């Protein structure tokens, strides 16, 4: 407990280390459309935020693109459908789709259970740009207060 307390005092909340997933770069960015992107060495993982999945409700279907599809920042690349509504997926960055999360094809509710981890949607390579309008976690949380 002493170690945990010292980390809490030493690091502001957005800089606290996350020890649960060694494959993460720990710096996620967010869009005003409620997508998240985790950029690491020219690759990116994209998904929807916890807020987005809460607003959608129970997700029942995800339309996913084909691997190899080139995307531009802001381009639609799929759709998430729930029992309440549907929402278009927009890419926060440009790049080429390396892979799609096959698990959410079979179990779309995985997005509800783990939207910012296991419920990722696509992975991109050759990420060409990072929009300056992307927000860090604290800025996104402030943005949510205005929605």
């Amino acid at each position: 407990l002493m170690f945990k307390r010292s980390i809490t005092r030493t690091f502001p909340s957005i800089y606290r280390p996350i020890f649960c997933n060694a494959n993460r770069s720990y710096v996620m960015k967010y869009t005003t459309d409620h997508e998240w992107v985790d950029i690491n060495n020219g690759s990116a993982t994209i998904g929807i935020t916890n807020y987005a999945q809460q607003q959608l409700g129970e997700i029942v279907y995800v339309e996913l693109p084909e691997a190899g599809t080139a995307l531009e920042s802001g381009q639609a690349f799929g759709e998430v459908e729930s029992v309440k509504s549907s929402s278009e997926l927009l890419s926060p960055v440009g790049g080429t789709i390396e892979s799609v999360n096959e698990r959410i094809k079979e179990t779309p509710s995985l997005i509800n259970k783990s939207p910012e981890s296991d419920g990722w949607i696509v992975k991109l390579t050759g990420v060409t740009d990072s929009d300056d309008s992307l927000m860090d976690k604290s800025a996104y949380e402030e943005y949510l207060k205005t929605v």
Side-chain angles (χ1 to χ4, degrees):
L1 287 178
M2 273 309 241
F3 177 70
K4 185 174 182 177
R5 264 192 241 138
S6 67
I7 285 178
T8 304
R9 274 187 250 141
T10 305
F11 296 105
S13 63
I14 65 166
Y15 297 114
R16 280 190 203 132
I18 301 170
F19 299 105
C20 60
N21 189 339
N23 296 322
R24 296 284 316 265
S25 69
Y26 310 120
V27 181
M28 286 178 33
K29 298 286 187 169
Y30 300 85
T31 71
T32 56
D33 293 315
H34 309 289
E35 282 97 11
W36 58 264
V37 59
D38 186 1
I39 302 170
N40 191 4
N41 295 325
S43 296
T45 303
I46 300 171
I48 66 170
T49 65
N50 188 50
Y51 176 84
Q53 71 81 20
Q54 288 173 341
Q55 296 304 303
L56 285 166
E58 182 185 348
I59 295 172
V60 295
Y61 177 75
V62 182
E63 180 185 314
L64 297 172
E66 297 285 325
T69 303
L71 296 177
E72 293 180 21
S73 180
Q75 182 178 346
F77 66 87
E79 192 169 351
V80 176
E81 295 180 11
S82 71
V83 293
K84 289 199 249 181
S85 67
S86 67
S87 181
E88 199 170 52
L89 297 166
L90 303 175
S91 183
V93 294
T96 302
I97 297 174
E98 176 183 37
S99 62
V100 297
N101 188 347
E102 298 292 336
R103 291 177 59 201
I104 63 173
K105 279 184 177 179
E106 298 167 15
T107 313
S109 63
L110 182 59
I111 294 174
N112 293 110
K113 293 178 184 129
S114 183
E116 296 182 17
S117 183
D118 294 335
W120 62 272
I121 297 172
V122 296
K123 293 189 180 211
L124 305 180
T125 58
V127 173
T128 56
D129 53 0
S130 177
D131 191 339
D132 289 339
S133 68
L134 296 176
M135 298 172 276
D136 64 17
K137 185 146 183 97
S138 64
Y140 181 68
E141 288 171 351
E142 286 300 311
Y143 171 73
L144 288 178
K145 293 176 185 176
T146 68
V147 180

